[in-house]
Amino acid sequence: MAKQGVVPDDLTRPFWEAANQDRLVIQCCTACNRLQHPPAAHCHGCGSDEVEWKEMSGRGTIYNYGVVHDCPIRLLQDDQPFNVAVIMLDEDPGIQMYSHLPGTPVDEVPVHAAVEVVFEETANGQKVPEWRVVAGDR
Amino acid sequence: MSTPTAPASMYRPDAGAGLWEHRGKVAAVGVGHSPTARRWDGRPETSVGAISLTALRRAIADAGVAPAEIDGLVLDATTTTGAYWPPGKPVPPEVLNAYNATDDPLDGVAKLSAEWILANMPELTNVKFTMYGPGCMSNAICVAAQAVGDGLANTCLVLKSWHNYEGRYYQGGANAGDALPGSAAIRALWGTPACFGTALQFAEYCRKYGKTHDMMAPFIENSRNNGLKFPEGYWAQHRPEQITAEDYKAARWIAKPANLFDNDLPIMVSAAYLYTTAERARDMDQKPVYILNHACSRGRPRSLTPTLDEVEEETARTARKIYEGAGITADDLSFENMYDGFAQFHQFHIEGLGYRGMKFGEALDFYQGDISISGPNPILPSGGNVGCGRSRFWMHTDCIQQLQQRAGARQVTGVKPEIAVSGGPMPLGGHFTVWSASPD
């Protein structure tokens, strides 16, 4: 699926630069050791502005999903309907990421299945984390 | 006069705050609505500014007060339903010249300032207090209630207006472009429509409690049925079409498990209420409806979208605040008018309230019983956004009119209308009001 391109901004640049290196990083508060995503200028847990980027294993679980039939984004409309799953990271199930689940048929999403991160290029070449269902036990 | 945005201190977000200090001392009296339209037709007299003037003047007339007695105005300056004025497109001169403009040519066309309203309502000669209650009518009426209670205004208009233009909902702007800023891309790259988060929560709800999408059909039928009895509503005015269970089940998906009828229809409309002190309200033309409490949710999800656990924790917390400040329990509610636009979170609101003894996971079973306005367990007698179009204020108007016993064909008959609750929009982040026919 041809996702829109991404123009990294100051807040999210480390996330996108890591994606271009096939690495998944998530913000972590150095004061309370709490992960948070989406990124923010300060920790939503303790309020500290001492946040750093921490590399994740790239493993997670499908928490939930829906099937998009009426997408507001022009570039994705030719691909309707498509899955959008919510992934929970193994490091912290409270951290969610969206995924189109490449390789998984529409509306046949195995909720609670294990997934692994992959990196896809968007329209302007910027890579973005995506997720694939892991076949069998990992 | 420069209009400030309501400070955080105007709202009641905290549990344990006790009874609202102005409980029963503030009342809603007058109601005014503009006609509805699907989209703006470009005429000056149907602009968002113009319909706002109509709603305000109708509320004043309905209350039976002299315009010169109005000393306050609370409104939301944002009027978009998701439709934005094209950048660089000039406002037609016949529109600009029809009204007294402010420095911003889009004022009265794509947004609304207090200054624009006052410049175009010369009869409001005594307004000394203006404030923005941003978000929707649910927010603005909390601000108005607090302002009247605090003595910032005595006779205060509160206004919410919506504009809608040509084009499909949310399909312009960045969504039509080739790239997104990094911060937006973290959520938006996956192309989820507005209802997606609620659809996810509903999917989890169905899995957890063994429910199905089809079980929503009686709620949708009831909402449209009630909405068609709301003469101020869009569907009653323009498309008096009932939705059957079969229509609902056959509707196309937007984001499965949310279909077309789980979403509301963006429209143009404006509503205004007249708030005043309980003492002043006694002499007005309509029966006062007393405010027992206002409360709000400041819940936020841990990550991209609220989980069902987060939703249920927050709606239960909000209910405790609603009841505590009003000095009531769930048993005191004659009916409920919680928000429904998206239909699939109405059950979260009413389960949190414990409406009619409901527990989490029970609302869809409740919907299979008699939830009509003539039964003992009315659900959303306003018809809400599903029944009337997207305004986020039908439920407030309905509470006022029901407790004034002038809801017409929509009047609840299976219960005595004494105390009601309304509010929204979202389970995380809503604003709520408790209404009563009596100040005590």
Side-chain angles (χ1 to χ4, degrees):
Chain A
M1 294 174 68
K3 291 181 177 67
Q4 287 170 290
V6 179
V7 181
D9 47 26
D10 288 347
L11 181 63
T12 60
R13 184 164 287 109
F15 178 85
W16 298 112
E17 287 178 350
N20 283 341
Q21 300 163 4
D22 291 351
R23 295 186 302 117
L24 176 64
V25 298
I26 295 291
Q27 254 190 351
C28 183
C29 174
T30 57
C32 69
N33 198 35
R34 180 180 188 266
L35 295 174
Q36 71 177 10
H37 185 74
H42 61 274
C43 172
H44 289 311
C46 72
S48 168
D49 57 5
E50 297 296 319
V51 289
E52 63 180 9
W53 293 88
K54 194 170 180 179
E55 187 158 346
M56 301 287 111
S57 67
R59 295 172 183 268
T61 302
I62 299 173
Y63 162 62
N64 203 349
Y65 81 102
V67 180
V68 173
H69 290 250
D70 196 337
C71 171
I73 293 183
R74 178 180 53 83
L75 283 182
L76 295 175
Q77 288 170 349
D78 287 345
D79 295 310
Q80 295 174 159
F82 54 81
N83 297 320
V84 179
V86 181
I87 308 302
M88 301 188 310
L89 298 192
D90 277 3
E91 284 85 353
D92 183 341
I95 300 299
Q96 304 168 340
M97 303 192 77
Y98 285 151
S99 172
H100 285 139
L101 285 182
T104 298
V106 174
D107 209 6
E108 294 181 23
V109 173
V111 175
H112 307 312
V115 289
E116 286 183 340
V117 73
V118 294
F119 292 88
E120 283 188 354
E121 279 195 9
T122 63
N124 67 352
Q126 168 64 51
K127 285 187 175 180
V128 57
E130 262 294 359
W131 299 82
R132 283 186 182 274
V133 173
V134 176
D137 294 334
R138 65 185 185 201
Chain B
M1 182 185 294
S2 175
T3 297
T5 296
S9 59
M10 298 291 283
Y11 300 100
R12 305 190 77 243
D14 300 322
L19 279 180
W20 182 38
E21 66 271 27
H22 306 307
R23 179 184 186 275
K25 297 174 186 169
V26 178
V29 183
V31 175
H33 278 242
S34 74
T36 61
R38 178 75 173 92
R39 304 175 194 280
W40 187 35
D41 60 11
R43 292 182 298 141
E45 58 269 34
T46 54
S47 65
V48 73
I51 64 174
S52 301
L53 301 180
T54 298
L56 288 165
R57 287 179 170 133
R58 288 180 176 178
I60 295 169
D62 188 53
V65 301
E69 290 184 58
I70 308 293
D71 62 358
L73 172 64
V74 175
L75 72 161
D76 180 3
T78 300
T79 59
T80 183
T81 55
Y84 296 92
W85 189 262
K89 178 183 176 182
V91 177
E94 65 271 23
V95 175
L96 269 182
N97 296 336
Y99 296 96
N100 294 316
T102 63
D103 293 340
D104 185 344
L106 293 179
D107 207 351
V109 174
K111 59 179 74 168
L112 200 57
S113 70
E115 289 70 31
W116 191 96
I117 294 292
L118 295 178
N120 288 284
M121 291 187 73
E123 67 270 41
L124 296 181
T125 56
N126 194 36
V127 172
K128 298 180 177 65
F129 169 80
T130 56
M131 188 168 274
Y132 294 118
C136 58
M137 184 66 99
S138 296
N139 310 49
I141 58 177
C142 292
V143 173
Q146 193 66 39
V148 171
D150 289 348
L152 300 173
N154 180 273
T155 306
C156 183
L157 290 164
V158 54
L159 172 75
K160 175 62 196 182
S161 303
W162 296 94
H163 73 251
N164 193 30
Y165 304 139
E166 292 300 320
R168 292 205 62 203
Y169 194 44
Y170 286 129
Q171 297 220 356
N175 287 343
D178 293 329
L180 290 171
S183 295
I186 280 177
R187 288 178 188 277
L189 276 182
W190 284 268
T192 58
C195 65
F196 182 74
T198 300
L200 284 177
Q201 292 151 21
F202 184 77
E204 188 178 4
Y205 179 94
C206 289
R207 279 197 299 273
K208 179 175 180 178
Y209 296 115
K211 308 304 175 191
T212 65
H213 182 263
D214 285 358
M215 293 178 74
M216 286 289 291
F219 171 81
I220 299 289
E221 285 183 280
N222 179 68
S223 294
R224 181 61 66 83
N225 194 43
N226 293 345
L228 293 178
K229 295 182 173 70
F230 209 140
E232 294 91 340
Y234 174 82
W235 293 97
Q237 290 179 359
H238 299 280
R239 293 176 60 183
E241 306 157 4
Q242 181 56 272
I243 304 174
T244 66
E246 290 69 33
D247 295 334
Y248 177 67
K249 293 171 188 174
R252 68 181 177 89
W253 297 114
I254 303 297
K256 187 181 179 184
N259 75 13
L260 183 68
F261 293 127
D262 294 313
N263 288 259
D264 50 9
L265 188 75
I267 58 171
M268 285 195 69
V269 65
S270 177
Y273 309 133
L274 188 139
Y275 272 45
T276 189
T277 63
E279 185 178 345
R280 175 68 186 88
R282 290 192 197 106
D283 299 328
M284 293 186 182
D285 283 359
Q286 307 298 339
K287 184 175 178 288
V289 174
Y290 300 92
I291 315 300
L292 296 188
N293 187 26
H294 67 88
C296 66
S297 155
R298 290 287 180 262
R300 59 185 304 161
R302 169 82 191 282
S303 193
L304 291 176
T305 188
T307 65
L308 182 60
D309 284 347
E310 288 175 323
V311 167
E312 292 182 342
E313 286 168 14
E314 187 63 12
T315 56
R317 185 180 302 120
T318 298
R320 290 194 292 274
K321 290 184 272 189
I322 288 170
Y323 293 140
E324 177 194 42
I328 63 169
T329 69
D331 292 342
D332 294 310
L333 291 176
S334 308
F335 59 89
E336 62 82 23
N337 255 320
M338 301 294 269
Y339 189 59
D340 70 324
F342 308 107
Q344 292 179 332
F345 59 53
H346 190 78
Q347 79 278 357
F348 298 142
H349 283 303
I350 63 175
E351 289 176 358
L353 284 173
Y355 181 63
R356 296 296 190 267
M358 201 179 291
K359 295 182 173 56
F360 290 120
E362 295 183 352
L364 269 58
D365 293 320
F366 193 85
Y367 290 167
Q368 312 309 306
D370 181 2
I371 57 173
S372 73
I373 54 174
S374 58
N377 302 311
I379 290 285
L380 199 59
S382 64
N385 280 18
V386 169
C388 301
R390 183 182 183 205
S391 78
R392 297 180 175 169
F393 52 56
W394 309 109
M395 62 278 196
H396 306 308
T397 298
D398 187 66
C399 284
I400 297 169
Q401 293 180 337
Q402 294 281 0
L403 297 187
Q404 290 174 326
Q405 301 266 12
R406 58 170 179 145
R410 215 175 58 254
Q411 187 69 48
V412 293
T413 56
V415 294
K416 186 177 178 186
E418 294 177 315
I419 294 178
V421 61
S422 60
M426 306 303 279
L428 277 70
H431 292 72
F432 306 90
T433 293
V434 181
W435 315 82
S436 174
S438 161
D440 304 319

